[in-house]
Amino acid sequence: MTDDSSRYFVPGHVTGFFSVHEADDPEQAGSRGAGLTLSKGVTAEVEPAAETSMQLNDEPAAIEAVTRVLDALDVDASVRAETDLPVGAGFGVSGAAALGTALAANRTFDCGRSENELVSIAHAAEVRAGTGLGDVVAQARGGVPIRLDPGAPEYNRLDGVPERTRVEYLTLGERSTSAVLSGNTDRLSEVGVDQLVRLVEEPTLSTLMASSREFAREADLLTPEVEEVLAEVEAVGGEAAMAMLGETVFALGNGLSRAGYDPETCETHPAGATLKLD
């Protein structure tokens, strides 16, 4: 074991559409779909400790996926995570914290795991925690990932839209991912597979956004507040969609600004999780 702490940055991730794929093995379970990784994300720092503890933005926190990662690596650590992203609003914060913890703990404690092994540990931890199905593998890849097959790296298959863009987002509230995923997801998954086929046939940002809007409507996930914002962005010629799963609207370019809103801004992130040396 080393005495040093390690820090990793993991990009945020907004999912535009998805389908649920269950399995007894959490490494084989997951989702198919597509979304954007973001230049804003989570920085996770891990250092040895007598007992495990966690802070998020300098406040005590309990993220089950993070605890499960440390248990899988059989280490006790102090985890400090920082993020500018809203929590519980569809930005993959729990997945990012889990992945950042896995990567940083591996380096701090010299666990000797490979990148794919660590992604698998973080993915399985989040699946077991019920807080996400596809964020971790998307965040490990970066860019505009398309999840063609579900699961951890040993089982999944990823592609991507080869573009970058400015992103604006507006958060209207929180939504429980676990509450949605624990319900009947048959209709949701049927629509998600249809939209994945559509995007694969035309892998562009415009198709991603159109597929995401149709998914939210057809899967009956839109709230009146989100629907109103989407309509206003569309009225000024912008492209926007609802983040899955959260009360959040994300738009390409300056769509939200042109519609009269005061959104947060970032860009798509060109890479996946990265070690911070500063």
Side-chain angles (χ1 to χ4, degrees):
M1 181 178 75
T2 70
D3 292 326
D4 298 328
S5 65
S6 300
R7 292 197 303 155
Y8 269 82
F9 171 79
V10 182
H13 178 243
V14 289
T15 293
F17 63 86
F18 69 102
S19 58
V20 175
H21 300 268
E22 298 178 349
D24 292 335
D25 180 353
E27 291 191 17
Q28 295 184 49
S31 64
R32 302 166 73 191
L36 309 172
T37 63
L38 306 176
S39 56
K40 290 184 179 179
V42 175
T43 297
E45 181 175 8
V46 172
E47 63 182 8
E51 60 181 21
T52 290
S53 64
M54 181 178 181
Q55 290 187 329
L56 178 62
N57 291 341
D58 297 323
E59 295 289 337
I63 298 179
E64 182 182 341
V66 169
T67 304
R68 287 183 176 275
V69 164
L70 296 175
D71 287 345
L73 293 173
D74 195 24
V75 298
D76 292 314
S78 170
V79 179
R80 290 188 296 273
E82 297 178 355
T83 185
D84 293 328
L85 294 171
V87 177
F91 290 94
V93 169
S94 62
L99 179 57
T101 297
L103 292 163
N106 180 69
R107 187 170 187 268
T108 296
F109 292 93
D110 195 20
C111 296
R113 305 297 186 97
S114 73
E115 186 174 281
N116 276 354
E117 288 178 306
L118 295 166
V119 174
S120 296
I121 287 171
H123 171 80
E126 178 150 72
V127 169
R128 286 194 174 104
T131 50
L133 293 172
D135 287 324
V136 168
V137 295
Q139 290 162 324
R141 182 192 186 280
V144 185
I146 304 173
R147 304 186 308 281
L148 298 172
D149 288 322
E154 183 178 350
Y155 304 100
N156 71 17
R157 188 165 54 102
L158 300 177
D159 203 344
V161 177
E163 299 184 45
R164 293 182 65 179
T165 184
R166 183 177 187 267
V167 180
E168 294 185 339
Y169 61 88
L170 180 71
T171 297
L172 305 173
E174 298 182 6
R175 175 178 287 192
S176 170
T177 297
S178 58
V180 176
L181 295 181
S182 63
N184 190 320
T185 59
D186 291 347
R187 174 58 180 164
L188 176 156
S189 294
E190 179 183 344
V191 178
V193 170
D194 288 344
Q195 297 310 317
L196 180 61
V197 171
R198 177 183 181 184
L199 181 60
V200 168
E201 291 177 348
E202 188 180 4
T204 66
L205 286 173
S206 291
T207 304
L208 169 61
M209 299 303 284
S211 293
S212 299
R213 289 191 297 274
E214 184 167 341
F215 172 81
R217 285 193 296 268
E218 293 296 319
D220 197 26
L221 292 170
L222 281 179
T223 61
E225 295 80 7
V226 169
E227 192 167 19
E228 180 180 352
V229 176
L230 294 180
E232 291 178 352
V233 173
E234 185 177 3
V236 297
E239 293 183 291
M242 179 181 177
M244 301 295 149
L245 291 157
E247 292 291 298
T248 294
V249 175
F250 65 99
L252 305 185
N254 60 354
L256 282 163
S257 298
R258 288 167 58 197
Y261 292 96
D262 183 23
E264 298 294 325
T265 64
C266 58
E267 299 176 347
T268 51
H269 195 258
T274 53
L275 174 67
K276 294 180 72 71
L277 296 175
D278 56 333

